Structure formats: C-alpha cells, structure tokens
Amino acid sequence: MDFSKLKMGTASVWAGETERSYQGATTTPIVNSVTYAYDDLDEWYDVAAGKSKGYIYSRNTNPTVAVLEEKICVLEGAEATTAFATGMAAISNTLFALLSPGKRVVSINDTYGGTSKLFLEFLPEFKIEVSLCNTTDFEMLEKEIAKGCDVLYLETPTNPTLKVVDIKRLAAAAKKVGAVVVVDNTFATPINQNPLQLGADLVIHSATKFLCGHSDAMGGILCGKKELIEKVFRFREINGASIHPEAAYMILRGMKTLELRVERQNASALKIAKYLLNHDQVTDVFYPGLTTHPGHEIAKTQMSGFGGVLSFTIKGGYDQVKQFLPKLKLVHLAASLGSVSTLAGPPRTTSHVELNDEQRKQLGIPESLIRYSVGIENVEDLIADLDTALTAIKIDNTGNVAEKLS
Ligand SMILES: *Cc1c(COP(=O)(O)O)cnc(C)c1O
C-alpha cells in the first residue's frame, strides 16, 4: 500500500499490518519464539548471511518487532528503523555507535535527564568531546557546530520547560560540517512533528511515552537514513538492547490510536495552558502553543500541533508544590508522560531525577515547576480539578480564610 498518499490516522492503523497473518489473523501475532528453524541449510545460511529475508534469532530480528518498526517508519517517513528495549537504549546505542574516542558531539543543555547524564558523565569517559549549548541560543549552537562535529543531537520541545529548538536552521549548519543530525521527537510525536522533513538524519522516540500511550510497555525507536540505521543496528544486535515482542505488540496496539489521542491531547493542553496563564496562583506557564511562549513562532513552522505536555510554576517554592500536587485528584503523581491518564510531578522526581539540585539550577529548572502531561480525559474535568487544587492552596496560604471556610 502506498502510504505516502494516506493521512497519519490511516497509517497509524494500517502501516505494517496490511498483509493477513497466521491463519488469517487480523491483528499482528505476538511471536515469542526465540529461534527460527530451517529444513534447508543453504536457505538458513542465506538468511543468516543477510542475503535473503527471514529470521534467525530474536535478539537480532523478530516478526512482531518488525511490524512495529514498519509502522513507525511510515509515520516518520523514514527509510529504515530499528527498535530497542527502552528510549534510553535507543539513545545510548545511537550515540555509542556513531561516536568514538576523539569525536565530537554538539547538543543542548535541556536534553532529557538520562541523555544529559550520558553527555556529562559517560561519553567523556570514552574521550568523546561533548559541547552543550544554551538550548535557544541558535547563534552559539551554529558557532559550536562550525568548529566541526560528528553528531548534532537535538530534542524539541524540551523536557520539562518546553523550549523549542529550530531544527531546520541547525540541521543546515550541521550539514555544512558533515555532522549526523539526531532529533529526539518523543514530546512531539510523528503526528505533530517530522524532523526528517526538516533536515534531520535520525529520529529517536521513547516509545514508552505517546507511541505506546498507556504506560504499560517500554520501548525505543530509531528511524531515518538506511546506512546510519544499519550501523546502529549492528551495534544493537551485539549490545543486546532488543525489545521484547510482547512490549512491541503493546506499543503497536497503542499506536493505532496515536492520532486520536494526540489530537485530543493537543487541544486539551492548549486549553489548560490558557486557563493556567490567567490564574493568580500560577506564576509561569510553559507551552509552545501559547503566543506568549518565546518559541511559538518556530513551533508554528515546524509543528502541526503543540503536544500534550506543559509545565507551570506556582507561587511559592517546592513546599507549595508539595501542598498542591496531592490535592489534584485526576492525575497520577508519577514519572513518565504521554499516557491516556494525566500524569504530573516535579522535575526533581521525574525527568531530572538523575541530576542534583545544583545541576537543575544550572539548567534553569525552577523548584516550583510542575510538569503536567495531559491525558485523554475530558478537559473540563481536568480544569475543574486544577481549579479546586489551586483554590485550596490559595486558602491555605491566607490562613484566616481557611478558618472561615472550615
Ligand atoms: C522518557 C524519555 C526518554 C527515555 O525513554 P525511556 O523509554 O524511559 O528509556 C528519552 N527522551 C525523552 C524526551 C523522554 O521523555
């Protein structure tokens, strides 16, 4: 089927699953088999040597995982894909496969906490030079790229302050020095943003988040240029960070409703962001869909929707956050994002748990910041829930009003 003529919502359902499978099954079977048998040794050899298609051993390739890979390939408009056990496996395998001692990577300060840890701790141990720049200082980034680099690693919108990075502009700078451009597209999803069309060579997803969408399976995806994917795949096969077929199936199943969920989450997040912006207990709202957001103009050019995650600060510090969050009833106070249920938490326990207070401060992550990942609940209920909790802390903080009401 030629998916290039079809819309995202159609591809989410059908891509990778147009052929009828075992016994006419209309959903993808979960192939738990570790190994694949052959009667003909020549045929077996040809598959093992990569001369013909087939399966040998599930650490390398697996039929259920292959369907997941095909689906994301279509959604991102990529030449090739490979799946991993987690998002961090995708990120670390990609960086370690593309970099080696003496090579240089340029990136931004605001990458996901785990990625940040790779840049600050692990890559330097292998004598890889890491240059981290102010996330929205594109001139500085261009200067650092122009000095020469092997990989430009970006993430946008960022976690947890939702900064927007100009992919097209920086990819163009990277092309001039022959660097591979990698973009973590987890927050946007392929529904809202397609970095390959903006000049990226590789796109990464933590499939644990929006792609799966139900917080019940973990996975990672790398897709993009075929020769680069093959290089990382060779490392992944040996490194062993393969996704389990059961997890691949869960993600595949979740992805069928990806467009439905993301469209709803985009719309709800914008409504909630606007509501919070006008609340007197809220000091700042970070959401790229707001016209007041410094990255809004760039977001408009590279995104078709602004995503389901926002963050905000409330009056007071971390003590107020501790009062406020447990008053919310329609959220799980939990790590992760992109689920059907709303999730909220402060960065020190979620995205940036790997970093210490000082490192978070350096990144400009305020102590009263709350990350709020909007689920698919009815937005009016979510706003009412926020309103009740914000009113309650306001009353708590002006003690005598609390007396009167109780
Ligand atoms: C969660 C996340 C990751 C890591 O993914 P895991 O599946 O938890 O390993 C990477 N990047 C971003 C932006 C994330 O939100």
Side-chain angles (χ1 to χ4, degrees):
M1 199 178 283
D2 181 7
F3 284 104
S4 63
K5 294 193 176 63
L6 298 171
K7 303 271 191 272
M8 286 281 188
T10 312
S12 301
V13 176
W14 284 100
E17 303 187 85
T18 48
E19 275 172 40
R20 217 173 283 156
S21 47
Y22 183 68
Q23 299 278 329
T26 56
T27 57
T28 298
I30 304 171
V31 180
N32 276 327
S33 187
V34 164
T35 196
Y36 304 83
Y38 291 87
D39 293 322
D40 183 316
L41 291 192
D42 289 335
E43 193 194 330
W44 185 2
Y45 175 77
D46 283 349
V47 176
K51 287 185 196 160
S52 59
K53 284 201 165 169
Y55 298 93
I56 298 285
Y57 190 61
S58 280
R59 168 156 42 76
N60 308 349
T61 53
N62 168 282
T64 312
V65 174
V67 175
L68 168 66
E69 290 171 336
E70 176 61 22
K71 200 182 278 297
I72 193 81
C73 219
V74 169
L75 290 180
E76 285 288 14
E79 286 170 15
T81 338
T82 187
F84 296 84
T86 63
M88 277 318 301
I91 294 166
S92 57
N93 276 261
T94 301
L95 290 170
F96 280 109
L98 297 179
L99 295 163
S100 53
K103 301 228 169 176
R104 184 165 186 266
V105 52
V106 173
S107 188
I108 52 176
N109 280 328
D110 293 75
T111 49
Y112 175 74
T115 312
S116 225
K117 192 112 178 156
L118 282 176
F119 287 141
L120 296 170
E121 252 182 74
F122 293 99
L123 293 177
E125 277 183 30
F126 291 87
K127 306 270 178 284
I128 292 160
E129 192 189 330
V130 180
S131 166
L132 300 184
C133 303
N134 178 335
T135 302
T136 52
D137 186 345
F138 306 138
E139 272 174 35
M140 178 189 178
L141 273 152
E142 280 170 334
K143 272 189 203 140
E144 282 302 306
I145 295 164
K147 285 182 193 166
C149 67
D150 301 284
V151 172
L152 170 67
Y153 186 98
L154 304 174
E155 186 178 320
T156 180
T158 65
N159 192 357
T161 48
L162 285 300
K163 289 178 188 151
V164 175
V165 180
D166 192 333
I167 300 174
K168 208 171 186 173
R169 174 171 170 179
L170 298 175
K175 287 282 136 66
K176 285 189 200 149
V177 297
V180 174
V181 180
V182 186
V183 178
D184 182 334
N185 203 29
T186 302
F187 265 50
T189 82
I191 304 298
N192 288 330
Q193 179 171 276
N194 297 112
L196 297 175
Q197 284 168 19
L198 299 162
D201 300 300
L202 292 171
V203 168
I204 288 177
H205 284 279
S206 166
T208 313
K209 313 291 169 57
F210 287 97
L211 299 187
C212 174
H214 296 70
S215 285
D216 53 6
M218 301 197 81
I221 295 284
L222 175 73
C223 59
K225 294 231 169 82
K226 193 161 184 274
E227 51 161 316
L228 294 169
I229 297 292
E230 279 169 359
K231 188 169 181 178
V232 181
F233 172 71
R234 281 198 296 278
F235 186 67
R236 196 272 272 156
E237 273 188 301
I238 302 310
N239 177 290
S242 323
I243 187 170
H244 193 280
E246 307 248 7
Y249 178 81
M250 298 295 272
I251 295 166
L252 197 56
R253 188 181 202 269
M255 281 178 70
K256 291 182 191 183
T257 55
L258 184 66
E259 189 192 53
L260 275 177
R261 286 185 282 111
V262 170
E263 280 179 350
R264 176 141 174 145
Q265 286 163 318
N266 285 343
S268 299
L270 185 61
K271 271 195 190 148
I272 292 169
K274 285 181 178 164
Y275 158 80
L276 290 170
L277 200 60
N278 291 319
H279 199 288
D280 64 1
Q281 289 296 302
V282 175
T283 42
D284 232 329
V285 183
F286 305 93
Y287 185 65
L290 292 174
T291 51
T292 50
H293 186 284
H296 181 66
E297 288 306 314
I298 299 165
K300 266 201 315 198
T301 66
Q302 67 187 22
M303 303 181 82
S304 53
F306 302 109
V309 185
L310 56 96
S311 59
F312 59 100
T313 51
I314 56 172
K315 274 189 187 159
Y318 191 59
D319 285 343
Q320 263 62 49
V321 173
K322 280 204 279 192
Q323 281 183 28
F324 169 71
L325 282 176
K327 292 188 163 68
L328 292 173
K329 297 301 165 218
L330 290 175
V331 302
H332 289 299
L333 300 184
S336 203
L337 55 101
S339 182
V340 288
S341 43
T342 298
L343 298 162
R348 73 153 73 182
T349 59
T350 57
S351 60
H352 288 68
V353 66
E354 287 91 352
L355 306 185
N356 59 37
D357 288 0
E358 191 49 40
Q359 286 169 321
R360 277 192 300 274
K361 201 172 162 195
Q362 271 175 11
L363 287 178
I365 299 173
E367 281 302 293
S368 70
L369 190 75
I370 292 155
R371 188 182 69 190
Y372 191 88
S373 170
V374 183
I376 61 166
E377 301 92 340
N378 186 295
V379 67
E380 284 169 29
D381 289 333
L382 293 178
I383 290 176
D385 190 38
L386 284 160
D387 205 59
T388 307
L390 286 168
T391 306
I393 52 164
K394 185 172 178 176
I395 292 169
D396 285 356
N397 293 335
T398 44
N400 49 354
V401 186
E403 301 280 331
K404 263 184 226 155
L405 288 183
S406 60

